[in-house]
Amino acid sequence: MDTIEAIKTRRSIRSWKDRPVPDNLVREILGAAMYAPSAVNRQPWQLVMITDRQLLDKIPEINPYAAIARKAPMGIMVCGDLHLDMYGGYWPLDCSALTQNLLLAAHAKGLGAVWTGVYPGEDRVQGFQRLLNLPQHVVPLALVLLGYPAESPGPEDRFREDRIHYNQW
């Protein structure tokens, strides 16, 4: 699948088959995700693999919009490491780039994923820091739920001419 096709056909998947994702495939997807650009190439991300069913089942208590975690084979918590954020404040951008790469890599490999927001919701940030035993300097940004898709929503045209401005507003 070429890059433009991957971008245009990637959709948020919220239903998965009851099938584990092999470790080698997860590693390949994470490797691709880590090619994301980052400020001064600091790569201020830390990733927590969540495969324990008890942890996945507790996620909706922290983020009710991620109730689908109860049915996901796994989750990947994308976190920013403030100790690696050299200029202070760029980590959300860097980790968002990594998250987008992760979603595209998963799609290219036949997996389905959905990005569920954590940061900047302070209650979610603190809840996930407790649940995953994160150090204080590691801030959860996004939870990506991942698995083999049990649905295949079609692509849609999202081009919006009215959102494009040339040279000035």
Side-chain angles (χ1 to χ4, degrees), residues 37-45 84-87 90-91 94:
S38 65
V40 195
N41 198 31
R42 293 294 294 181
Q43 304 166 19
W45 40 73
L84 297 174
D85 187 26
M86 187 172 187
Y87 291 107
Y90 285 94
W91 71 267
D94 300 339

Side-chain angles (χ1 to χ4, degrees), residues 23-163:
D23 291 342
N24 64 326
L25 186 53
V26 173
R27 185 175 173 83
E28 183 178 2
I29 290 166
L30 295 178
M34 291 181 188
Y35 276 88
S38 65
V40 195
N41 198 31
R42 293 294 294 181
Q43 304 166 19
W45 40 73
Q46 300 287 349
L47 305 169
V48 179
M49 302 298 102
I50 307 170
T51 56
D52 180 285
R53 178 54 42 205
Q54 290 181 343
L55 287 175
L56 288 164
D57 288 346
K58 289 180 183 178
I59 287 172
E61 297 170 19
I62 299 167
N63 181 357
Y65 300 105
I68 52 176
R70 290 187 179 111
K71 297 187 185 289
M74 69 175 300
I76 301 171
M77 183 63 75
V78 178
C79 303
D81 186 331
L82 302 181
H83 289 167
L84 297 174
D85 187 26
M86 187 172 187
Y87 291 107
Y90 285 94
W91 71 267
L93 304 171
D94 300 339
C95 290
S96 293
L98 175 130
T99 303
Q100 179 68 7
N101 275 10
L102 192 157
L103 294 171
L104 289 169
H107 175 58
K109 288 299 185 175
L111 297 175
V114 62
W115 176 336
T116 64
V118 177
Y119 181 87
E122 196 56 39
D123 55 334
R124 293 180 194 176
V125 168
Q126 291 174 4
F128 282 116
Q129 282 177 322
R130 283 190 301 273
L131 180 68
L132 302 175
N133 197 31
L134 301 176
Q136 196 63 32
H137 68 276
V138 175
V139 182
L141 174 93
L143 172 64
V144 176
L145 299 169
L146 179 73
Y148 288 95
E151 62 179 341
S152 55
E156 63 182 53
D157 185 5
R158 294 185 178 183
F159 184 79
R160 296 281 310 265
E161 185 73 43
D162 62 322
R163 304 286 175 95

